[in-house]
Amino acid sequence: MRILLVMPPTESAIKRVVGATGPPLGLAYLASMIREEHDVRIIDGIAEDLTFEDVMKILKRYDPDIVGITATTSAMYDAYAVAKIAKNLNENVFVVMGGPHVTFTPELTMRECPCIDAVVRGEGELTFKELVDAVDKGRSLKGILGLSYQEENGKIRNEPPRPLIQNVDEIPIPSYDLLPMGKYVADGPPSER
């Protein structure tokens, strides 16, 4: 399967002031969990100065089976825009979202943006891996801890929370090679550039 993980293009005060933003390590960790079995790409819309048109072109070329989007509260509507672009290009693509905002508002998130098929709540590594495996094998999402998803009848189902990972050494090193690492170098405040 082809999986595209996306940090949506959005306004970043940190990038505006410092000249760079930090890498989306959450996406790099998710990629490391699944890349041995699947073809995975990451796009960082902030660091790469992408537009929504750029994201659309990448989605068209790559034609992913799953699109995973991360977003903070301030970037939610930009994340929704990416989800809509993905579904407009391929109505069968599975769109999943994660991040701090959706962890606490999964039902609201899926009501506000029906293009989102599922929300990963909390630590996403194990939940995302199980979700990808289920989608790949055509299995039900029922029982995947930490997942909220839309059932065929349109109802939103919240599976029980996933316990925190006790031994973080079990998680592979983030897939830094999938990130544009040269873009995360800070130039300093504008007054010093």
Side-chain angles (χ1 to χ4, degrees):
M1 288 182 63
R2 287 182 307 281
I3 297 149
L4 183 64
L5 301 174
V6 182
M7 169 69 78
T10 194
E11 173 62 29
S12 168
I14 293 171
K15 185 168 184 183
R16 189 174 60 246
V17 172
V18 179
T21 186
L25 288 179
L27 295 182
Y29 274 110
L30 294 180
S32 71
M33 294 295 291
I34 59 171
R35 72 185 294 184
E36 286 185 17
E37 297 91 24
H38 304 284
D39 182 19
V40 186
R41 286 190 60 192
I42 299 174
I43 59 173
D44 184 342
I46 299 171
E48 298 177 76
D49 293 316
L50 299 177
T51 64
F52 290 108
E53 177 131 350
D54 296 329
V55 171
M56 183 176 70
K57 288 176 184 174
I58 293 166
L59 281 162
K60 266 187 187 175
R61 270 194 316 271
Y62 188 57
D63 191 25
D65 301 293
I66 296 176
V67 173
I69 307 166
T70 186
T72 58
T73 301
S74 62
M76 282 310 296
Y77 292 106
D78 297 318
Y80 291 169
V82 171
K84 289 174 187 169
I85 290 168
K87 283 288 188 181
N88 284 339
L89 290 172
N90 177 2
E91 65 183 23
N92 296 316
V93 70
F94 192 94
V95 177
V96 57
M97 191 173 290
H101 182 93
V102 300
T103 289
F104 298 103
T105 62
E107 296 95 348
L108 175 64
T109 298
M110 288 186 277
R111 278 197 308 271
E112 286 184 341
C113 186
C115 295
I116 299 167
D117 298 299
V119 166
V120 171
R121 305 183 324 269
E123 291 181 338
E125 291 82 6
L126 298 175
T127 301
F128 185 69
K129 182 172 180 18
E130 286 184 30
L131 167 68
V132 169
D133 290 344
V135 171
D136 185 33
K137 293 175 174 67
R139 291 193 319 249
S140 167
L141 304 179
K142 190 171 183 172
I144 299 177
L145 299 179
L147 191 68
S148 298
Y149 54 94
Q150 295 197 40
E151 296 181 303
E152 288 183 21
N153 61 12
K155 288 190 174 186
I156 295 170
R157 180 179 181 92
N158 293 303
E159 294 294 344
R162 181 175 294 278
L164 295 175
I165 298 168
Q166 296 302 306
N167 181 5
V168 294
D169 291 333
E170 293 175 0
I171 300 172
I173 293 172
S175 297
Y176 293 111
D177 61 306
L178 299 179
L179 295 171
M181 292 306 290
K183 300 278 187 181
Y184 304 116
V185 178
D187 296 330
S191 60
E192 296 176 13
R193 285 189 221 148

